[in-house]
């Protein structure tokens, strides 16, 4: 337990914290912790060379570590933001119970040689102004957006704010949230934000399950159920490698999902790599979202569809 630490909403941010650094110190380890836009601007002004941003919602795990390592390879200084963004949660979603582990998060950032950690409260991010938001367009209403209306507007708005506040040269995101990555890349390009948006492959458990802060909600039995997501994706990718066409890939993946009655599937879709309609052959993306109990999980995998002429 980190003494005296509180988050913006007055919640006890340490209730699920397994320990770590004192979040109230401005220099936890070699990390500089900043909480206001002004403190961030002052810290940013001291950074020369290429600055790379890693936006997160905290409860950091090895997937986030991989982003930080990729960020180091892209620039001179890594800035991590930790903010549980309320505008990307819908009514009845897990905003209140989302895991908050600031002490352990800062220990990980220190370990990964992060220069600045920005931990704003909701007032700093949204408190003043007219409530201007970014619209996600048509893709924002499909897949995750169809199940979580307004989710991507919330994501893009907070990322646009972070890009404006941190002024990074590049930013690193996980392919784990593939639709998010595609939309953030499009936002940076279409709004000419000038940030080089990079994605890294999903970091997984030994059994293939994608690491996620939400995995903390699962008990041992539910973890077994959740592994069906990655097993289904692998079955689809294997079918593609054996020459199955799009419907064949989906059938192979669906079979694995069907064998797990405790899984409630929101969608299983095969698309092009930019989430466009499935191509006849070449690179594609297989995406799945499902609920295990009250926990909602997503995953995806690249698949390569072989041309029909190769025979199947
Ligand atoms: P989150 O804290 O869940 O909002 O995620 C912050 C960033 O970490 C996003 O860019 C995610 O896509 C990325 N991320 C989350 N889980 C993983 C994972 N297992 N592997 C790689 N990146 C991840």
């Amino acid at each position: 337990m980190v003494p005296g630490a509180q988050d913006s909403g007055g919640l006890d941010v340490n209730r699920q914290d397994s320990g770590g650094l004192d979040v109230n110190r401005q220099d936890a380890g070699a990390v500089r912790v900043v909480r206001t836009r002004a403190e961030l601007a002052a810290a940013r002004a001291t950074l020369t060379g290429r600055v790379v941003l890693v936006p997160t919602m905290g409860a950091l795990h090895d997937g986030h570590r991989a982003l930080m390592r990729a960020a180091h390879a892209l620039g001179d200084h890594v800035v991590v933001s930790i903010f549980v963004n309320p505008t990307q949660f819908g009514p009845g979603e897990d905003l209140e119970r989302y895991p908050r582990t600031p002490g352990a998060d800062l220990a990980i950032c220190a370990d990964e040689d992060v220069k600045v950690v920005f931990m704003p409260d909701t007032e700093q991010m949204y408190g003043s102004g007219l409530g201007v938001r970014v619209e996600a367009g048509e893709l924002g209403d499909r897949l995750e957006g169809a199940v979580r209306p307004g989710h991507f507007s919330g994501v893009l708005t907070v990322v646009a704010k972070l890009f404006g506040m941190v002024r990074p040269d590049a930013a690193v995101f996980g392919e784990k949230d593939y639709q998010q990555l595609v939309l953030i890349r499009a936002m940076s390009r279409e709004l000419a934000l000038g940030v080089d948006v990079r994605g890294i492959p999903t970091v997984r458990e030994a059994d293939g399950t994608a690491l996620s802060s939400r995995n903390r909600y699962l008990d041992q039995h539910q973890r077994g159920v959740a592994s069906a997501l990655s097993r289904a994706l692998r079955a689809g990718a294997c079918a593609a490698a054996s020459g199955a066409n799009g419907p064949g890939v989906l059938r192979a993946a669906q079979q694995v999902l069907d064998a797990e009655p405790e899984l409630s599937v929101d969608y299983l879709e095969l698309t092009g790599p930019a989430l466009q309609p499935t191509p006849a052959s070449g690179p594609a993306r297989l995406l799945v979202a499902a609920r295990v109990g009250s926990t909602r999980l997503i995953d995806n995998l690249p698949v390569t569809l072989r041309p029909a002429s190769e025979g199947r």
Side-chain angles (χ1 to χ4, degrees), residues 129-187:
L130 301 179
V132 171
R133 288 179 67 130
V134 179
E135 269 186 40
E138 181 267 334
L139 177 55
D141 295 329
R142 285 166 41 208
L143 294 161
E144 279 301 282
V147 186
R148 309 181 68 188
H151 169 69
F152 286 114
S153 173
V155 169
L156 294 185
T157 299
V158 83
V159 171
K161 282 171 182 266
L162 289 168
F163 282 5
M165 291 176 205
V166 177
R167 307 225 161 266
D169 297 281
V172 186
F173 298 85
E175 290 184 357
K176 159 77 170 48
D177 301 280
Y178 194 74
Q179 190 176 6
Q180 168 176 288
L181 172 62
V182 169
L183 281 166
I184 291 169
R185 194 173 271 147
M187 175 177 76

Side-chain angles (χ1 to χ4, degrees), residues 191-244:
L191 302 186
L193 301 182
V195 178
D196 178 10
V197 173
R198 300 293 185 97
I200 67 147
T202 302
V203 178
R204 298 177 179 280
E205 310 265 14
D207 72 353
T209 302
L211 296 189
S212 165
S213 305
R214 289 189 168 97
N215 291 352
R216 293 172 199 235
Y217 299 148
L218 304 172
D219 62 28
Q220 203 57 35
H221 171 71
Q222 289 176 318
R223 280 179 181 251
V225 176
S227 73
L229 271 73
S230 60
R231 285 187 278 118
L233 296 176
R234 277 203 310 275
C238 282
S242 313

Side-chain angles (χ1 to χ4, degrees), residues 7-30:
D7 82 346
S8 56
L11 295 170
D12 176 359
V13 291
N14 299 306
R15 66 187 187 278
Q16 295 170 65
D17 207 346
S18 56
L21 296 176
D22 183 346
V23 297
N24 289 322
R25 283 180 49 191
Q26 277 245 317
D27 59 343

